[in-house]
Amino acid sequence: MKKVRQGLVGVALGIALMGCGVQPTGVIGAGEPASGLTRGARLYFASAGGLRGVPVLDREIKNLDAVVKLLLEGPPPAEQADRLTSFVQIPGFSVTGTGAHVTVHLYGAYPETGRDQGTGQLVCTLARTQSVLEPKVRTDDVEVTLRPSEGAVLGPYRCAEFLNG
């Protein structure tokens, strides 16, 4: 009889332990996965592995011209130590942006091919900034066109064309 009681107690404890814990559930929908580029102003600099975005933390960006001027200054010392560099070399410029369209007006010829890291730096920096200035616009939807006063129009380009992966 004692063995039967021990057996019943063991079965009862087993059932009780199996009843504790997380109950099974079905699939729970959580919406769409994250996609596209993250938000926030960034300057894009060149590295051996491709373009890398550097957050602009210490300055408020109020217009597209200002961000190009920052880009032309080159990477900050910490990023230089991390082997980031800039290939952006443009003559005088002005930049306009409306919605998902940005145009860089260059005074003179554009010294690059349009498929180089310098152009990628310019395109990605401007696309990111336009999406910050106009929050309804997604960075990866922005098209950037380069209009030199001498030579052919280049673009429109999207940042994704210049990013690895």
Side-chain angles (χ1 to χ4, degrees):
M1 190 70 147
K2 187 174 184 179
K3 285 189 176 193
V4 172
R5 268 193 232 156
Q6 286 178 342
L8 288 174
V9 169
V11 169
L13 283 173
I15 291 172
L17 288 173
M18 287 177 21
C20 294
V22 177
Q23 298 296 317
T25 63
V27 176
I28 298 172
E32 294 295 316
S35 66
L37 301 171
T38 59
R39 301 296 294 173
R42 290 181 180 266
L43 301 174
Y44 283 81
F45 294 107
S47 72
L51 297 180
R52 284 197 9 217
V54 175
V56 178
L57 302 173
D58 60 343
R59 298 182 187 184
E60 183 180 353
I61 304 297
K62 294 185 179 188
N63 61 56
L64 296 169
D65 284 338
V67 79
V68 173
K69 289 176 185 174
L70 283 176
L71 188 61
L72 288 170
E73 290 176 10
E79 281 70 27
Q80 288 177 14
D82 202 21
R83 299 180 187 238
L84 294 182
T85 190
S86 181
F87 294 119
V88 176
Q89 297 178 7
I90 56 176
F93 66 91
S94 67
V95 187
T96 57
T98 303
H101 302 282
V102 172
T103 303
V104 182
H105 303 274
L106 301 169
Y107 311 134
Y110 185 64
E112 301 297 336
T113 65
R115 294 290 177 193
D116 53 276
Q117 281 194 329
T119 302
Q121 286 180 252
L122 193 57
V123 168
C124 289
T125 297
L126 287 168
R128 173 64 69 119
T129 303
Q130 182 66 5
S131 74
V132 170
L133 295 173
E134 294 196 24
K136 291 182 180 180
V137 175
R138 292 174 7 131
T139 300
D140 30 359
D141 291 337
V142 176
E143 294 181 331
V144 178
T145 302
L146 306 176
R147 292 191 173 279
S149 61
E150 300 171 22
V153 171
L154 300 169
Y157 300 115
R158 291 178 187 239
C159 180
E161 298 174 51
F162 298 94
L163 297 178
N164 295 337

